[in-house]
Each structure stands twice: as C-alpha cells, then as structure tokens.
Amino acid sequence: MAPRKRPETQKTPEVVVRPKTRRSRSPGELEPEAKKLCVKGPGSSRRFDSGCLWAGLASLQVPPSYTSIVRALHHHKLGKAAWPSLQQGLQQSFVHSLASYRIFQKAAPFDRRATSLAWHPTHPSTLAVGSKGGDIMLWNFGIKDKPTFIKGIGAGGSVTGLKFNPLDTNQFFTSSMEGTTRLQDFKGNTLRVFTSSDTCNIWFCSLDVSTRSRMVVTGDNVGHVILLNMDGRELWNLRMHKKKVTHVALNPCCDWLLATASVDQTVKIWDLRQVKGKSSCLHSLLHSHPVNAACFSPDGAQLLTTDQKSELRVYSASQWDCPPSLIPHPHRHFQHLTPIKPSLSPCCSALKLQFLLTSALLMTSPVSAPKATWHPRYNLIVVGRYPDPNFKSCTPHELRTIDVFDGSSGKMMYQLYDPESSGIISLNEFNPMGDTLASLMGYHILIWSQEAGMRK
C-alpha cells in the first residue's frame, strides 16, 4: 500500500506546557483530608493500623533493609548480601523515595482526551502522547522548546496504540480508530501502512513491536490479530477472540510468546511459531470480566492483567496453570458521554454519512481504559485508582490516587496523590530509567519526579 502524506507537523500554539511553580502541599498539610482515605492491603477489606493515606505509609512499607543504594551495593560487594536480597533492598530504597515525588510538569495540548503514551527508549525526558482526536505530541519536557505537534483527523481518529520505532527513534508506530496501523515520522509523513480496514466499522485497538524478530502485531475490534514483518508483509491474519482485542503484548525476552487480551473475558497465550488458528493457543486464562490489558514484566517472567472492574492478576510465565495472584483494586471502566449532532450537506455521500455516524458512536463509547503497568527496573505495579462505592473495601471520600503494589506479594507499597490534579488517572508509565512517571488524566499529561532538593 502506497504511503500517503499526513497532515503537516506543526509547532502548535495550542500546547499549554507549564512547570509546577507552586509546590504541592506536604503530606502534613494534607493529613486532615487524607485521613478520610483508608488504605487496604490486597485481598483484604480490613484496615491497617495506621488507617490513613499519609500517616499510615510507614506501616504500609516494610522497613527497608537499606536506606541507601550505595550501602546496598557496598554490602553486596562485601558478600554480605545475595543478589535477590540486593534487588529487594534497591526496590525498598526506591519505594522510600516515592515520598518525595511531586508533579513538576503539566501539559494540556489536546482538544480531546489523551489516550496513549510512549517513552523515548534512550532520552529519559522525552515522550510521545496520542489523543482521542488522532493528534500526536512529541514532548521533551527537559528543554524550553515547544513540543512537536502532529494534527489528527478529529472525531474517529483516536490513537489506541503508540510505540517508538526501536530501529529509528525519529519514527513511531500507531494503531487507531481511523482503521489503520501505520509507521509515521515526526514530520507528519506516513512511511508505511501495515493494516487498513475497508470499513469504518473495524478499527485497531493495540499494537506491539519486536526489534529482534522485526515483527509488528496488532489487534482489531472484532477479534482478529494480525502479524506482519517490518517491511509490511502480512504473515497471518486470524480471528483469535470472539470479541474486541483490547491489548497485544510480546514477551520482551521471548518475542515468539504473545499475550492477547479481549472483552470476551479471556487472555490468551500464543507461540507465534505454531499459530494455526484460535484453537492453537498455549493457554486461555479466563477472567470474570472483560480485560483491558495484559502486560509482561520487564524480565518476561510474569504477566499482569487488568480487568474492566476491580481486579488485577499476576501470572507466572512458567506456570500458567497455577492460580494467579489476585489484587483487588477499584479501577472500573468508565464512560464520558458526548452528544453528537452531525450536520450534513445535501451532497454528503452515503460513505461520509456512515463515517460520521460511526464517529458519533465512538464518541459515546468508553475509550479511557484503565491499565496497570510494570516499573521497568523493579517488581512493582503502578495503577490509577477510581474509587467505586460498590467496591468491598471502599471508604467515604476515597482519593483518586496512583497506587504502587509489590508484584510478588500484592501488597500496597505507596500511593501518589496531588490535590491540584485529582481527576481520574487512566494510564501511568515510568520512563526506561525508572525515575520519572508520566500519567494521563483526561486532557492532561502529568510528569512526576523527585523534588530537586531530595535528588541532591
């Protein structure tokens, strides 16, 4: 399929990027409000003795064996600590540092919600963010230059998946509700179209890329998964689920191992070398609700799934048949209803009418799907909380925090919260170095990091 020119890249005047000049209130100042929030341990509705967000953090965390990374490394060098113990000590040291994290940058560049993000693989202060209108912004928040902005098509163009090209980081892959999976550059050019639906009733919901095997995999809203090589040649196109494929993920260590999540309440594990049809999956992991995402841990040893209601699951990649670790957590799927009243000219074609009606339907669909993610360096899970009064352990005035769990024990380790940014946070991802967190909250992009004084 011949490449086509995308809308011209702009240095947008609409982007609002501002440092947080006003420091967030300290935990002590927040204590009266935060005492309303009770923090629970996974799998339990009882309160911890501390009972509140800030005052209880000490009891939520196991006292770290090492308060200093340097000390942990020194003990390991002296032979006083084995490698697993060192890893645990480093993780506890990082969790301890979360107390000093604050929002220090915020941007609101889009006229519709932010829907996807990807960190640059080598520049720790650069990320790309996509919106519900198909807009894409490349933002280096470490410099004062305006972000690079690519204008989308508007309604019906929602960016559902976004990945930097690992072979050329001036390029990126996207999947979208426009009905395509494509390779683009930050000048606004479409370099290659991998998939394109012939109808506006089919769109693509997720994608992943393998550098080693040079493969691209994408899933659509009717259950198909398509595997292609990076030259654009289709290897296979099979219906692997009964309903929409919400997420596809390749194992970072064994890129022939694929996980697919679906609203048909299953997550399926596939060996790409042996795929012949939907019956050839290695394992089918049944869930109680539709599933938003399935993400392999950075070492490929665990699989984290996020359902559309109130449960996270952690599976061992070597023991799929064993019961997973369950983490009760309120993050239910939510809808933002926007009334659409399309106005048609007398010469509007039937195809244009169908497109507008489909776009109107998409605008009333739940597209802000909460997803839990892994920390890139430690066995930690990060997920936004959307308090649910029907959740077993819900308490009055519960805050919309970012929750950090231990991936092994399922224990709550910390909660991040900023009273000036108290909306629903649907997606959180740490940069590859693991020291800066990006969060999507409606129209806003939030950047969390340690306060400058704490980093010194």
Side-chain angles (χ1 to χ4, degrees), residues 78-377:
L78 294 177
K80 296 181 179 180
W83 179 248
S85 176
L86 173 63
Q87 284 284 88
Q88 185 63 24
L90 295 176
Q91 177 170 306
Q92 290 172 356
S93 179
F94 171 77
V95 170
H96 182 74
S97 75
L98 290 174
S100 64
Y101 270 61
R102 301 288 183 269
I103 295 174
F104 78 100
Q105 292 276 9
K106 180 186 285 191
F110 305 126
D111 59 0
R112 289 175 171 83
R113 294 191 303 278
T115 56
S116 57
L117 71 88
W119 283 98
H120 192 285
T122 57
H123 293 177
S125 62
T126 300
L127 71 161
V129 184
S131 83
K132 187 178 177 184
D135 302 334
I136 294 172
M137 181 180 74
L138 178 68
W139 182 22
N140 183 350
F141 54 81
I143 61 176
K144 294 182 179 180
D145 293 351
K146 287 185 178 180
T148 299
F149 194 89
I150 301 174
K151 187 67 177 174
I153 66 169
S158 181
V159 180
T160 57
L162 182 60
K163 297 277 185 181
F164 278 91
N165 182 357
L167 303 177
D168 183 348
T169 53
N170 293 314
Q171 304 171 359
F172 59 96
F173 296 89
T174 61
S175 59
S176 74
M177 287 188 175
E178 187 182 355
T180 61
T181 304
R182 66 175 82 238
L183 176 66
Q184 301 174 244
D185 64 23
F186 287 102
K187 295 179 180 179
N189 301 311
T190 294
L191 306 177
R192 180 170 291 115
V193 177
F194 289 92
T195 61
S196 180
S197 63
D198 297 326
T199 169
C200 17
N201 295 323
I202 296 176
W203 60 88
F204 296 92
C205 309
S206 180
L207 69 89
D208 203 0
V209 180
S210 167
T211 310
R212 187 184 311 162
S213 300
R214 301 202 172 193
M215 296 184 303
V216 178
V217 61
T218 186
D220 68 21
N221 66 312
V222 292
H224 289 87
V225 178
I226 305 171
L227 183 71
L228 311 101
N229 63 26
M230 284 196 180
D231 294 329
R233 182 170 63 90
E234 184 178 292
L235 302 177
W236 46 255
N237 181 345
L238 299 168
R239 192 174 188 207
M240 293 180 159
H241 288 272
K242 297 178 181 178
K243 297 180 181 179
K244 179 171 72 173
V245 178
T246 52
H247 199 249
V248 294
L250 294 165
N251 189 295
C253 298
C254 303
D255 57 4
W256 46 265
L257 195 64
L258 171 70
T260 59
S262 172
V263 297
D264 67 7
Q265 302 186 19
T266 65
V267 171
K268 294 184 178 182
I269 310 300
W270 309 85
D271 183 338
L272 295 181
R273 303 167 300 181
Q274 301 176 5
V275 170
K276 297 179 181 178
K278 63 181 180 181
S279 61
S280 60
C281 68
L282 298 178
H283 298 275
S284 182
L285 311 175
L286 185 63
H287 287 62
S288 302
H289 300 280
V291 186
N292 279 340
C295 304
F296 285 104
S297 58
D299 63 1
Q302 298 178 97
L303 182 72
L304 168 66
T305 68
T306 311
D307 75 0
Q308 290 188 1
K309 191 169 178 62
S310 58
E311 190 175 77
L312 308 176
R313 296 188 181 191
V314 180
Y315 291 87
S316 170
S318 60
Q319 297 174 313
W320 298 113
D321 295 330
C322 293
S325 299
L326 304 181
I327 305 175
H329 183 266
H331 52 258
R332 67 192 189 278
H333 214 48
F334 50 90
Q335 293 182 338
H336 293 270
L337 301 180
T338 305
I340 303 296
K341 298 179 181 179
S343 175
L344 303 180
S345 66
C347 59
C348 180
S349 66
L351 181 60
K352 180 68 174 178
L353 173 61
Q354 183 185 14
F355 175 78
L356 288 173
L357 292 176
T358 302
S359 297
L361 176 63
L362 295 179
M363 290 291 286
T364 61
S365 300
V367 296
S368 298
K371 296 178 182 178
T373 59
W374 293 97
H375 188 280
R377 303 278 179 174

